[in-house]
Amino acid sequence: MSKRPDAYAQLRDLILSGQVQPNERLIEADCARRFHTNRGNVRNAIARLEQEGLVVTMPFRGARVRLVTDAEAMEIYEARAALESHFRHNGYRTI
C-alpha cells in the first residue's frame, strides 16, 4: 500500500505549483477535508510553511499564502538561471 503525502507536502506542492494563489486564505477545516487528515496536522503544516516563508499567519485572521515581491521573484529567476547554466555546463540534463 502506498503512503499518501502528508498535509505539509500536499499544501506545499499546491502553493509552489500555483494551484493555491498568493493571498489566498488557508482554512484549516477545508484543507483537512481535502487532504483527508485532521486540523492538527494542517495546523502543523501551516506553521512549517510559515517558517519557510510561504505562508503568513495573522492573529484572528488566519493564514494566507504569502505574496512574493517583484524583487524576490527576480532573485529566484536569476538564481534558477544560474543553476541551470551551471548544470548544463557540467553535463546534467535536468535539475
Side-chain angles (χ1 to χ4, degrees):
M1 179 166 78
S2 65
K3 185 179 178 217
R4 180 178 29 242
D6 64 1
Y8 163 77
Q10 292 181 77
L11 188 53
R12 185 176 190 275
D13 288 346
L14 289 174
I15 292 169
L16 294 177
S17 69
Q19 294 178 55
V20 178
Q21 297 294 311
N23 237 7
E24 188 172 331
R25 190 166 170 225
L26 301 174
I27 301 169
E28 288 177 8
D30 293 345
C31 290
R33 274 192 299 279
R34 183 175 190 168
F35 305 142
H36 305 286
T37 190
N38 60 53
R39 289 177 63 179
N41 288 338
V42 171
R43 200 173 301 120
N44 290 337
I46 289 171
R48 191 168 164 192
L49 291 166
E50 185 173 26
Q51 289 176 338
E52 293 179 11
L54 294 174
V55 170
V56 292
T57 304
M58 299 183 68
F60 307 109
R61 302 185 96 196
R64 292 187 180 273
V65 176
R66 184 174 168 273
L67 182 64
V68 176
T69 66
D70 289 342
E72 290 171 323
M74 183 56 79
E75 187 176 319
I76 292 166
Y77 174 79
E78 289 171 351
R80 182 180 176 108
L83 286 170
E84 287 176 351
S85 175
H86 171 76
F87 285 118
R88 264 195 313 275
H89 178 72
N90 289 303
Y92 293 94
R93 293 181 186 201
T94 60
I95 295 177

